[in-house]
Every structure is written in C-alpha cells, then in structure tokens.
Amino acid sequence: MALNPFTQFIFDLFILSAIIITAYTCNFYYLAYLSGKRKDALLTSEHGTPSVTIQLPIYNEKYVAKRLIDAVCDLDYPKEKMRIMVLDDSDDDTVELLGNTVNDYKEKGFRIEHVRRGTRKGYKAGALKYAMQTTDTDYVAIFDADFIPPNWFLKRAIPHFSKSNIGLVQCRWGHVNENYSAITQAQALSLDFHFLIEQKAKSNSHLFMNFNGTAGIWKRECIEDAGGWHTATLVEDLDLSYRAQMKGWKCVFLPDIIVNAELPVQMNAAKRQQFRWAKGSIQCAIKLLTDIAIKRKVAIEAKVQAFIQLTRHIVYPLMLVQFLALPILLASHMNLYVVSFIPALTIATYLAMGPGAYIMIIQSMYQKSWKSKAKILPALLVYNAGMSVNNSVAVFDAVLGKKNEFLRTPKYGILKTKDDWKTNAYNLPFSQVTLLELFFGVYGIIGIFVAIFSNNPIFVPIIGLQTVGFFYIAYMSLSHTRFKRNKSSEQRILSKSEKMANTVYKLSMIGILAIIVFGAVMAFNGYNTDIYPLDRMRGHLDGIIGSSDPVAIQNHLNAINADMAIVLDNLPDNNKNPVWIFPTESTNFLRIQADVDYLVTSIQKISAIPKDSSAYHTGMMDISDRALLIKTNLMDATPYMYVSISNVLLSTIWIAAIIGIFAALKRKKEQLKEADETGV
C-alpha cells in the first residue's frame, strides 16, 4: 500500500536511524570479541627509576584536592626522581587549602610546586600546556582531583614502556563510591564497558585508543612530537592521543592497574560530564577525521574504528529520531515487525541485539561476579536512554560550532553511602535540558497509548524504557538541585524573600507534577477522541475487505458511521478537513462520509441479489476496493489529527506553563546565589 509523502519520509528516517544504530551496536560486539583475545604484557627492567613529573590540574576542588596530594606524596618512588606540579586555577578557598598543603610537603623534602598561572585560558588543556613549558623529566603522569593513586602506581606502570614507540600507558579507572546509588552503579558499569571492552580491544591491536585524561603516564617526547596540548576541543586527552598515534606512537591500556576515583553522585554533575564528553568527541571528529582519512600509514580498519569512536555519540540524536517517529508510524498502521507479523520474534530480536548480548559480555568481563553486575544493567539502560536528550544537545552544540567552555565535574569527597553532599558547595542546578526531558517523557506517554490502541503492544516496553529514562533523569536533575542555603549560611534566620522563594520552589515541584499528570490525561483523552475512532474505523474496513457477508458488512458500516460522527464533531465546521494548509479531498471527512454512505447504499442493493450471480461478486469486489480506498484516506488523515487546533493550543499552554515554572525556579536559584554572595 502506498504511503503519503510525510509518512514515507518518517519511515525512511526511522529505518535509516535503525540501520546506523545497529551498525554502531554491532561494532561494540566486534570490540568485545577483540577484547577477549589474550595478550601478555611486555615489561622491561631497563628503565630503573626514571624521572617523572606528576601534574595535578585542579579547579575549585576543596573536598578532594588534599586527598589527591596526600596520595601522590605517598607514592613509593624516590623523592629526587619525582616532581609534583599542582596546577591550580581555582578561584575559591581551594587556593588557600592547596597552598598550605603544598608548603607542608615542601618542608618534608618533596619537590612540589603550587603553580598559579593567573588565568583560566584554555581551561585544563591550558594548564597542562603551561606546565609543559617547564617540564624536563622523562615521563609525565596526570591525575584529576578526584583520583586516588595507589602507592605502587609508578613502579608498576612505568615498566610497561617496554618499546621505544610506546608513548602512553593508560590505567583502568576504579570506582571508590560505586555502590553509593543507582546513578553511580550505572556509571561504573558504563565505564567498565569502555575500559574492559573498547580500551582493551584497541590496546591489543593496531587500532587507535584514547587517553582518558587521568590515571595515565605520557612519555614527554611523545607529547612534544604530537604537537603538545591543544585547547580547541573539550576533550584535550582524546585529541592529543589521536595526534600521537597518527605520528606513529603506540598507546597501551593496563587493565590490571586500577586507580580508584570518585564517580559523580549528583545527576546534574553526571550530565555535565556526559555533555562534555559527547560534545568533545564530535569536535575531535570535525578536527581530526580528515587528517586520519588521508594518512597513508594508518590501516583501513584503524581509520574505520577511529571514525566510529569519534562519531559514536550521533547515536543519541538517532535514538530521539526513532523515539519521535515510532508513535507516528504506529498510528499510521505501519508494519514495523522484523519478520512478517510475528511479535514474539520481534521482541526476541530486540532482546538479542540489546540486553541479551550485554549480559553475555558482562559474564565474560566479570567472570564469577557477573550476576551482581547484570542486576545493574536495567539501571544502565534507563540511565543511557534518559541521557539521550542531554547528549543530543551536546552533539548539536559541537556540529553548530558553539563556543567552548570547559565546565568541570564537581566532586564532594563522597566515599560511603551515608555521606551527604546536598548542602555542599559546587551543587549544580538543573538546566534548560531538563525541560526537553520532560517534553520527551510526556511524548512517550502519548506513544505508549498509540502503541496500545493501534494493536501494537509489543512496542510498549521499547517506548516505555525511554519514557521512564526521560522522567527519571528530569526528576533527579530537579531533586538534586540545591534549594537550601549553604551550611555556613543556614544558621541565621531566613529573610521574607527567601521564605517566599522556598514556597515558590515547593509550589513549582507540585506544579510540575500536576502539569505532567494533566498532559498525560489530556493526551489520553485527545487520543481517545481524535485518533482511536480512526483506528476503529480502519479495523472495521479491514473486516469489510475480508468479508463477503452483507449482514457482517452492514454491521461494520454502522460502527464506522458511529465513529465518523465522533470525528466530525471534533473537526472544524467549515470544511471538516484536519489539514490546515493545502488541504486535499483525500483527507476531507465530508467526502469520506459520502463514500461510506455509498457503501451503505451499495450493500443494501447487493443484499437483494442472489449470492451465486456475477452481479453479486462484482458488487462485493467494488465494495472491497472502495473500502480499501477509504482506509487509505484515513491513514493519510491520521498524522494531521495529532496537530489539530485544539491539540496545538493545549500543547502551547502546557509548554508555557512548564517554562513559567522553570522561570520561577531560576529566580529562586538567583535569590539563593545573591544571598550567599552578599551574606545578608
């Protein structure tokens, strides 16, 4: 059956997105296969104890900065061979804390410096670039503020520079607060996938792998040969490691050397980190892919894998495209089953391509402890689905060339499940992306109703997973936003304006919940009055097409007329056509009603004709053909019923209400910030 141009376009977009997502997914399975190939590590004892500079880029990290310096100064390595550079760009009381800590260790004989460059230009990459001007040691180790290197780190990692062309050894991240919450557990599993599958597979082969920005050691010569640190992207680590490998250097991943780090416990901090990684990867793709493609010494497979790694975040916008397209296609009665009309096989295919395969990978990664990790997989699926809005915005930011700003991921020194962070400084507020997440969540509820009423319940779990993800991420973003005073300010009596701001926040939270419920109810009612009658009519038309019994056909036509009356009552009185601009007769419900009336008249005439006559069979064929034509007209009209004047008006009011609530919450944050800064 021919599709109208709009539906055909949506279908093509849906299929193209599915093909691309499947290709990226299959590549992950290929890397999982490569990671399973065992490769013995090569060690050398020729290095002895080479000189090492340990660079610690820090910006406003008062809760974890001292912990890092303590761990670094505790490394089992000769003091005369170890130089520590605390690259401090902070502009809060972290500066004083670091100054005192550095002075304490200087008095103990450590070669440690508190480097203040007086600007944040270039952010982390700028600080590392500045430090390299005075770095003259053989190797450079880098740790972010939330990492806790073990005291044996240097002695175990440096011997892996066993060949002259090895420019980087990257160690695996551990997770010191993995079990703090479902958020940290999901992040830990996701990072383990990256390290134990992607990094391991690429290190074991000739493929490009990336430096993860911390918990690694560079050969100084390699950094200089690759052109040093660049500040053009948000992921200076990925940028430098790719440029180094294009120069012929080899990067090695060490899965058995684990450096513990703190995972973000606040949702808004986790979103900021994901945003930076997604945007930075696309920036690197724009910056580097052309050079990689024309580089003769780079193998074809390495070029393909480099393209996939640098562009893999485009999967998130494609996920949203599929999410938006699926309800439209279901409402148009498009057959989206993998094979024929076998729903069981469809869901089995989705499970095999997703959770089923991931469980097998988890089993190979964790061996005996795989069952406890597999229990976290549902949380990871919900987390990743919900993050697709945040990461899609990051991708578009990169593609459109929006100005870079390196926004760090704040950490709070949270190690135990009982530790609290909500009244600490650095608590990030929700962003405008949360509004988009709520929109997609409500759209998902509509999509679930569409799947149910279009007799496609097999797609409810698929839509539902993402819908839950959007609402979960949005809820956590709001609930993790600080709407209380800092501890240092909470002792005094709140002013009248602050009490009012607290009231505004509580009412806003109630308002958001009420608006979501209102949107869901209106979506259900709208579907029940605008779309579901068309679904029922198409079902009755299918009955007419497949029947040769005049009585049964008459009953179908009576039901169609009842539904037609509902539809006509909800359409504009002037022309009863749901198409606003450039309407056609194919979507004119007055004409469709006339065609139904013609069928009623025809079946009454045919009922009086003997069933074994040629006139009876000719008449039935004519009725079947006309029923098929009416069904096609209804399918053409269905997408336009979603954008009726009443639906658009209600959606506009709904969005305006959400924006109004967010404006009130923004004002609340500004009041708190102003009060904290002025101390009044």
Side-chain angles (χ1 to χ4, degrees):
M1 180 174 58
L3 301 175
N4 66 62
F6 174 75
T7 305
Q8 184 65 57
F9 172 74
I10 297 297
F11 177 73
D12 293 342
L13 205 58
F14 181 87
I15 294 300
L16 179 62
S17 299
I19 292 172
I20 296 174
I21 291 173
T22 302
Y24 278 89
T25 303
C26 290
N27 183 74
F28 180 77
Y29 299 150
Y30 171 67
L31 293 178
Y33 164 74
L34 290 182
S35 68
K37 292 185 175 181
R38 187 173 182 84
K39 185 176 180 181
D40 295 330
L42 297 176
L43 302 176
T44 180
S45 59
E46 297 178 358
H47 287 285
T49 53
S51 57
V52 180
T53 294
I54 302 176
Q55 296 176 349
L56 311 177
I58 294 173
Y59 174 70
N60 291 359
E61 296 283 8
K62 63 182 178 182
Y63 298 113
V64 295
K66 185 177 184 303
R67 183 181 69 188
L68 169 64
I69 295 177
D70 289 342
V72 169
C73 290
D74 191 46
L75 289 173
D76 182 14
Y77 208 76
K79 291 181 181 179
E80 68 275 8
K81 293 286 187 177
M82 185 172 65
R83 179 189 180 194
I84 304 169
M85 300 181 72
V86 180
L87 312 178
D88 181 19
D89 285 349
S90 302
D91 52 23
D92 68 352
D93 45 1
T94 306
V95 179
E96 183 179 357
L97 171 69
L98 290 176
N100 293 334
T101 304
V102 169
N103 288 334
D104 288 343
Y105 278 107
K106 271 187 178 180
E107 293 176 359
K108 296 177 183 178
F110 286 89
R111 297 175 61 201
I112 184 169
E113 306 165 46
H114 187 198
V115 181
R116 297 280 296 165
R117 59 190 181 115
T119 177
R120 281 204 76 205
K121 183 179 180 182
Y123 306 104
K124 179 181 176 181
L128 293 170
K129 184 177 182 179
Y130 181 83
M132 287 302 297
Q133 296 176 6
T134 58
T135 299
D136 57 1
T137 54
D138 300 320
Y139 297 96
V140 178
I142 300 173
F143 296 103
D144 282 347
D146 55 304
F147 278 70
I148 313 170
N151 65 348
W152 42 258
F153 175 79
L154 291 177
K155 286 191 172 181
R156 284 187 55 182
I158 287 179
H160 287 272
F161 286 94
S162 55
K163 296 181 180 179
S164 60
N165 68 330
I166 294 179
L168 163 72
V169 293
Q170 171 67 57
C171 299
R172 177 182 163 191
W173 293 5
H175 319 295
V176 72
N177 61 335
E178 176 177 356
N179 295 316
Y180 184 81
S181 66
I183 295 174
T184 55
Q185 288 178 327
Q187 292 177 82
L189 183 57
S190 178
L191 286 169
D192 284 352
F193 277 138
H194 168 65
F195 281 105
L196 296 178
I197 299 299
E198 295 177 312
Q199 293 289 66
K200 189 176 178 182
K202 294 173 181 178
S203 178
N204 290 351
S205 60
H206 59 278
L207 305 178
F208 282 13
M209 63 165 275
N210 63 287
F211 174 47
N212 294 105
T214 177
I217 304 176
W218 282 93
K219 187 176 288 185
R220 180 175 57 85
E221 180 188 354
C222 174
I223 296 177
E224 295 171 347
D225 184 49
W229 297 100
H230 288 184
T231 61
T233 73
L234 294 179
V235 283
E236 70 294 324
D237 42 17
L238 177 62
D239 179 21
L240 176 60
S241 52
Y242 265 55
R243 284 186 283 113
Q245 288 166 108
M246 289 169 64
K247 285 278 191 176
W249 292 93
K250 172 67 177 175
C251 299
V252 175
F253 171 63
L254 308 178
D256 296 327
I257 298 183
I258 301 175
V259 182
N260 280 329
E262 183 180 325
L263 293 162
V265 295
Q266 192 213 24
M267 178 58 76
N268 298 310
K271 288 169 71 173
R272 173 181 283 188
Q273 186 179 66
Q274 290 287 325
F275 186 97
R276 188 174 68 246
W277 289 347
K279 181 175 180 178
S281 293
I282 299 300
Q283 288 176 323
C284 278
I286 296 171
K287 181 185 180 203
L288 299 175
L289 277 181
T290 301
D291 293 336
I292 293 173
I294 63 177
K295 194 76 173 179
R296 292 185 179 181
K297 294 182 179 180
V298 178
I300 295 297
E301 184 184 6
K303 293 179 180 180
V304 172
Q305 289 297 329
F307 174 85
I308 291 173
Q309 179 174 16
L310 295 179
T311 63
R312 62 182 174 177
H313 286 93
I314 66 169
V315 166
Y316 290 105
L318 295 178
M319 287 171 60
L320 295 185
V321 167
Q322 284 202 304
F323 182 77
L324 293 172
L326 185 55
I328 297 173
L329 297 177
L330 293 178
S332 301
H333 284 256
M334 176 70 65
N335 173 30
L336 296 175
Y337 294 122
V338 176
V339 178
S340 186
F341 293 92
I342 309 176
L345 186 58
T346 296
I347 199 67
T349 303
Y350 276 103
L351 288 173
M353 287 297 294
Y358 275 96
I359 287 176
M360 294 177 62
I361 294 173
I362 288 173
Q363 191 172 9
S364 66
M365 285 169 54
Y366 297 105
Q367 301 298 325
K368 294 181 179 180
S369 62
W370 74 272
K371 290 183 180 180
S372 62
K373 298 294 184 180
K375 293 177 182 178
I376 304 171
L377 185 59
L380 177 60
L381 295 176
V382 170
Y383 178 81
N384 279 340
M387 277 290 181
S388 58
V389 175
N390 179 76
N391 293 350
S392 294
V393 173
V395 169
F396 287 118
D397 258 17
V399 172
L400 297 175
K402 192 172 179 180
K403 185 179 178 181
N404 297 334
E405 183 178 359
F406 187 100
L407 300 174
R408 91 199 194 295
T409 306
K411 304 293 171 61
Y412 306 102
I414 300 298
L415 301 179
K416 301 176 182 178
T417 55
K418 294 182 180 180
D419 291 344
D420 186 30
W421 52 269
K422 293 184 180 179
T423 55
N424 288 351
Y426 311 143
N427 190 322
L428 299 178
F430 64 86
S431 67
Q432 291 89 338
V433 174
T434 305
L435 176 61
L436 283 176
E437 289 159 353
L438 289 172
F439 163 78
F440 277 98
V442 173
Y443 183 86
I445 293 176
I446 298 173
I448 289 172
F449 287 133
V450 170
I452 293 172
F453 290 118
S454 64
N455 297 319
N456 288 288
I458 200 71
F459 291 102
V460 169
I462 298 170
I463 301 174
L465 176 68
Q466 289 182 274
T467 302
V468 171
F470 295 136
F471 279 129
Y472 175 72
I473 297 295
Y475 168 75
M476 296 303 288
S477 298
L478 291 168
S479 65
H480 281 187
T481 297
R482 183 176 70 86
F483 290 101
K484 294 182 179 180
R485 304 298 306 279
N486 280 339
K487 287 181 178 179
S488 60
S489 305
E490 285 179 342
Q491 303 303 318
R492 65 177 181 80
I493 298 175
L494 295 178
S495 66
K496 183 178 179 180
S497 62
E498 289 174 310
K499 290 180 180 179
M500 179 61 70
N502 283 326
T503 302
V504 169
Y505 165 66
K506 294 176 182 178
L507 292 176
S508 297
M509 292 296 99
I510 296 172
I512 287 176
L513 179 61
I515 287 175
I516 291 174
V517 173
F518 172 77
V521 171
M522 293 306 298
F524 176 82
N525 290 335
Y527 189 89
N528 192 46
T529 57
D530 295 340
I531 307 300
Y532 191 39
L534 300 186
D535 290 340
R536 291 196 297 261
M537 282 192 278
R538 285 196 293 264
H540 288 300
L541 289 167
D542 283 334
I544 293 172
I545 294 170
S547 176
S548 59
D549 180 7
V551 176
I553 292 176
Q554 184 65 57
N555 291 335
H556 285 305
L557 288 171
N558 291 338
I560 289 173
N561 276 322
D563 286 326
M564 185 67 73
I566 297 174
V567 173
L568 290 172
D569 285 343
N570 293 313
L571 287 173
D573 293 331
N574 54 350
N575 60 1
K576 299 297 182 181
N577 197 321
V579 181
W580 298 5
I581 304 175
F582 306 123
T584 63
E585 281 300 299
S586 65
T587 55
N588 186 336
F589 274 84
L590 292 177
R591 188 191 65 78
I592 295 174
Q593 177 67 74
D595 290 341
V596 173
D597 293 340
Y598 178 85
L599 289 183
V600 172
T601 303
S602 297
I603 198 63
Q604 291 173 349
K605 293 179 179 179
I606 292 173
S607 298
I609 301 176
K611 291 185 177 181
D612 57 352
S613 66
S614 60
Y616 181 89
H617 293 295
T618 301
M620 282 296 178
M621 290 177 62
D622 180 62
I623 286 177
S624 179
D625 291 341
R626 288 180 179 273
L628 180 61
L629 179 61
I630 294 173
K631 181 182 176 182
T632 302
N633 294 152
L634 292 178
M635 292 181 68
D636 289 342
T638 298
Y640 299 101
M641 297 295 286
Y642 284 102
V643 289
S644 64
I645 294 176
S646 60
N647 287 344
V648 171
L649 180 61
L650 287 172
S651 298
T652 302
I653 295 173
W654 186 86
I655 293 173
I658 288 284
I659 292 175
I661 289 176
F662 270 66
L665 289 174
K666 183 179 180 181
R667 176 58 182 162
K668 160 67 177 172
K669 291 184 295 179
E670 291 174 349
Q671 288 175 335
L672 287 174
K673 182 178 179 181
E674 180 180 356
D676 282 337
E677 290 177 349
T678 59
V680 297

